[in-house]
Amino acid sequence: MYTYCIVNKESARVNSRFIISVNRNQERIVQFHTICHELGHLFCYHQFYTESKRRKLTIKEREFEAETVAWLVCKRHGIYNPSEEYLASYAPQGEIPICSTDLIMKAVAEIERMMESPIKIKESLWYKEDKGLKEKIRVIERQQKGPDLFA
């Protein structure tokens, strides 16, 4: 699977590390919620560009964090979603699973930043964390500059 990113106004094809699939038959609100939930997994380090940074949590802990991210993003933007009932099912006696409120809030902030305007590739989490992507961008930038006259 490939993704296209823009480097100095030109499109470049790079290998994708992740893919989010949404059901096109669902309402757009449900699709948005799904995307927020899946990005919550990524930004809370449940899956990551390098295995060593991936957090080792139970499924319950991962789902609670990702759903909390989706709930917060939707709630802050006035979008109804069923997350409250879903989240309550993880804490039937009032004890929530172990979670990182810091990562949850950072994930919400990153998603909201993505909603506000396009993110420059070098400002993205993908670029910051993926050495392969950094190298690919460096090569593209060198090619765009043309031959080095001082080599």
Side-chain angles (χ1 to χ4, degrees), residues 90-123:
Y90 280 103
Q93 280 78 41
E95 292 183 28
I96 64 170
I98 293 172
C99 64
S100 169
T101 54
D102 181 56
L103 287 176
I104 289 168
M105 294 311 296
K106 285 180 179 177
V108 169
E110 187 72 11
I111 292 168
E112 289 179 339
R113 189 169 75 99
M114 293 168 71
M115 290 168 59
E116 290 171 8
S117 62
I119 296 175
K120 294 178 181 169
I121 193 71
K122 287 188 175 182
E123 294 174 4

Side-chain angles (χ1 to χ4, degrees), residues 18 37-49 51 53-67 69 98-100 103-104:
F18 305 100
H37 178 97
E38 297 307 325
L39 287 172
H41 281 300
L42 179 63
F43 296 143
C44 288
Y45 296 82
H46 303 158
Q47 34 209 333
F48 214 63
Y49 305 100
E51 187 62 26
K53 289 195 176 186
R54 189 171 72 87
R55 294 170 57 224
K56 309 290 190 265
L57 300 172
T58 67
I59 291 172
K60 184 177 182 178
E61 292 163 346
R62 290 191 309 259
E63 288 301 313
F64 186 83
E65 284 185 347
E67 193 61 29
V69 169
I98 293 172
C99 64
S100 169
L103 287 176
I104 289 168

